[in-house]
């Protein structure tokens, strides 16, 4: 499944595409984040705060990633050997960014969100996002909590984000980007929460934490939702107690 020396995938079971490349150096480039977070800026104010005078450069950088011959993949390790993958799907006719969860003992990765013209998600609640960002586990594309937070932010949808969330996102923006008003941008991003908008999360018997998002694979009421057993293992993995 993975390159022998790393936990970064040469293939992802059940997910077609590639060849995959590991590009952790992109996470140190402020322009990368402007393109990566663009879908989160649903309103004109947020878009202006995010892009400022760098709109053309950010769009060109994102275009190169999504129109190249290789698919950049970023890895965020979770407890129990699980991994979140952020895949830049550079398919010629269907580009986008996919968010997947996998464990080496699983037959296939679980697709949790797709950031594209027809967005699917959300994939993560705020507590799940923070747990993935803060776990300090080695073996990912970055160990920096702020970079991990921003990397996974487009997969967030949670109407119950706490008051301190804006401060966390602002700190990450300040550290990773060159935006002029990180506090205002953080508030705008959390207010809109991207194309899927905020969702309500609850715990359902037998399946764990689920979303009510109309485009979410983790909403059991959607006809395209993951089956109950797979919803349960996704929830357990993101809680850090997942069995294989």
């Amino acid at each position: 499944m993975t390159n022998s020396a790393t936990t970064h995938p040469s293939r992802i079971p059940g997910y077609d595409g590639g060849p995959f490349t590991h590009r952790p150096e992109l996470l140190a480039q402020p322009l990368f984040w402007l393109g990566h977070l663009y879908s989160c800026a649903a309103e004109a104010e947020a878009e202006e705060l995010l892009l400022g005078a760098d709109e053309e450069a950010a769009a060109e950088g994102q275009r190169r990633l999504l129109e190249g011959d290789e698919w950049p993949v970023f890895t965020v390790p979770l407890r129990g050997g699980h991994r979140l993958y952020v895949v830049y799907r550079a398919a010629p006719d269907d580009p986008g960014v996919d968010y997947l969860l996998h464990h080496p003992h699983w037959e296939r990765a679980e697709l949790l969100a797709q950031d594209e013209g027809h967005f699917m998600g959300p994939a993560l609640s705020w507590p799940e996002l923070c747990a993935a960002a803060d776990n300090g586990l080695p073996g990912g594309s970055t160990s920096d909590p702020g970079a991990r937070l921003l990397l996974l932010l487009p997969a967030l949808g949670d109407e119950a984000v706490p008051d301190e969330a804006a401060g966390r996102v602002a700190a990450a923006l300040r550290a990773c980007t060159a935006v002029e008003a990180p506090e205002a941008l953080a508030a705008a991003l959390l207010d809109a929460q991207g194309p899927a908008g905020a969702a309500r999360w609850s715990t359902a018997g037998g399946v764990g934490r689920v979303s009510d998002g109309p485009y979410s694979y983790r909403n059991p009421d959607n006809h395209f939702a993951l089956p109950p057993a797979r919803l349960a293992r996704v929830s357990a993995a993101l809680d850090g107690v997942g069995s294989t």
Side-chain angles (χ1 to χ4, degrees), residues 73-203:
V73 181
F74 305 97
T75 304
V76 177
L78 303 177
R79 302 289 180 189
H82 301 84
R83 303 180 187 102
L84 283 167
Y85 294 126
V86 181
V87 182
Y88 269 69
R89 181 181 2 106
D93 300 322
D94 187 28
V97 182
D98 293 331
Y99 293 78
L100 302 106
L101 175 68
H102 191 246
H103 187 278
H105 292 173
W106 294 1
E107 292 184 357
R108 57 177 294 157
E110 300 291 3
L111 179 62
L112 300 184
Q114 296 176 288
D115 192 355
E116 57 183 14
H118 301 286
F119 182 89
M120 299 296 291
L124 302 171
S125 67
W126 177 255
E128 291 169 339
L129 173 62
C130 291
D134 295 342
N135 64 41
L137 293 170
S141 300
T142 176
S143 59
D144 177 67
R148 288 183 175 184
L149 187 79
L150 296 184
L151 189 61
L152 299 174
L153 191 65
L156 170 72
D158 192 338
E159 69 173 18
V161 292
D163 292 341
E164 62 268 21
R168 282 215 57 178
V169 175
L173 291 168
R174 191 178 303 108
C176 296
T177 76
V179 298
E180 295 184 357
E183 291 82 6
L185 176 58
L189 294 178
L190 289 174
D191 182 59
Q193 291 195 35
R200 288 190 296 271
W201 293 86
S202 60
T203 300

Side-chain angles (χ1 to χ4, degrees), residues 190-219:
L190 289 174
D191 182 59
Q193 291 195 35
R200 288 190 296 271
W201 293 86
S202 60
T203 300
V207 294
R209 187 181 291 112
V210 295
S211 160
D212 72 347
Y215 309 107
S216 178
Y217 296 110
R218 297 182 66 190
N219 179 354

